[in-house]
Amino acid sequence: MATPPGARGTARPATTHPQVIIGANLVLPTGTVSDSRLTIDGTHITAQETPGANVVDARGHWIVPGFVDIHNHGGGGAAFSGPADDVLRAVHAHRAHGTTTLVASTVTDDMDFLVKQAGLLSELAEQGEIAGIHFEGPFISPCRKGAHSEALLRDPDPAEVRKLIDAARGRARMVTLATELPGGIDSVRLLAEHGVIAAVGHTDATYEQTVEAIEAGATVATHLFNAMPQIGHRAPGPITALLEDERVTVELINDGTHLHPASLQLAFHHAGAQRVAFITDAMDAAGVGDGRYLLGPLEVEVSDGVARLVEGGSIAGSTLTMDRAFKRAVTVDRLPVQDVVAAISANPAKLLGMYDTVGSLEPGKDADLVVLDEHFDLKGVMRRGEWVVDPQLG
C-alpha cells in the first residue's frame, strides 16, 4: 500500500530551541488577537520571549489550538483495530490534518478481541501517542446498529463493561452504550464511578429513558442525530433529552453527509457552542480515498468520499479529517471562528479532563497548534513544539 500523506506526521526528535510566531490572528479563550506573538520554548507555550528565538512570520494566517478528536476509528489506510504499526499509521495521518490529541475508538467485535486490543491501545496511550480509548460497541441496540455487526452485539452487562475498563488499565476514556438495554443504567453508574465517560449512542431509547441515563451519569451524546430515533412531536426521543440537558456534550460529524446544515445549527442553538464537540468518526479511508475497506468485520465501499456498508448501504463512519470539519464550519455553516475552536479543541479537551495541557493557546500548555490561511486551509501543524507539518506561509 502506498504511504499516505499522514506519514509525514511522524514525530521528529524534540528540540529545545525557542520559537516565536508573529503576525497571525491568534485565537485565544478570551477572543482573537491580531498581529500576535506566540512564544514556544521546548514543548510548551511560554509567556516570556527568549532572545535569539527562531521567528516564524505568519502574517495573514490564523493560529488555532491543535484539534482534539474524541471519536475516531482510523485513517491513512489503517484502523485502530489493527496492530501497533497500523494504529500509529492512523494517528500520524490525522496529526497531519491538525489532530494533535486523539482518542482511539474501537468498533464492535468479539469481546476477547476487544480485551486484547484494549491492552495494545493502553500501551500506546501510556507512550503518549493517543489520549485514551473509546469503546463504541458492542453494547448497542440492534435497532440502531449502523455499521456494527449485529451478530456481535450484546447487552451492557456491567461485569463485561468492567472487563473492558480493566483491560484498558486506566486508559478507557469513553464507552458508548444503548442505555435502555438490560444492564444499561447500572453500566452508566459503573462508568461514572470509574471516571469513564458514559455516552448515549446507537440507541433506540425514549425521551424518558434518556433522561434516566443522564441522571445516572451519562454525559455525552455519541454523534447526535445519527443512529438514534429522530424528534417526534409526541415522542421527543433521545435527541431532545440530550440537547436540553446542560450536563451533556453533543458530538457532531460535520462532513456534509451525516448532518444537514440546519441540524448542525439546531444543535449549536439549543446546546450552545460550549456543549458541542466536533468529531470525525473516521475510518481507515480518511486521508486516502475511494475503494473497499473493512470496518471491524464488515466490508465498506467508499465512493466520492462517503463510506457505506457494502451489504445494506448504511453509512459506515466517515472519511473526515478535522481540518475539513473546521473549514466547513466556518465557510459553509458560517459559525464564528471562536465557536468552532471551542467545539474542535477546548470542549473535547475539557471533556477528557485535559484542558490544563491542551485545547487552548495559553502559557504553560503544550505547544499544539494549527496554522490556517485566509481561506481556512491547513498550512502547518505543531505538536509539543515540533512541526509535524512544516509551515507553508508563502
Side-chain angles (χ1 to χ4, degrees), residues 212-231:
E212 183 183 10
I214 296 168
E215 291 298 329
T219 56
V220 165
T222 294
H223 43 55
L224 188 74
F225 298 108
N226 299 117
M228 59 182 62
Q230 300 305 292
I231 298 172

Side-chain angles (χ1 to χ4, degrees), residues 80 87 91 95 102-104 121-122 124-126 128-133:
F80 294 129
V87 174
V91 168
R95 280 186 195 162
L102 183 149
V103 174
L121 292 172
S122 68
L124 294 174
E126 289 161 6
E129 297 289 351
I130 60 174
I133 309 165

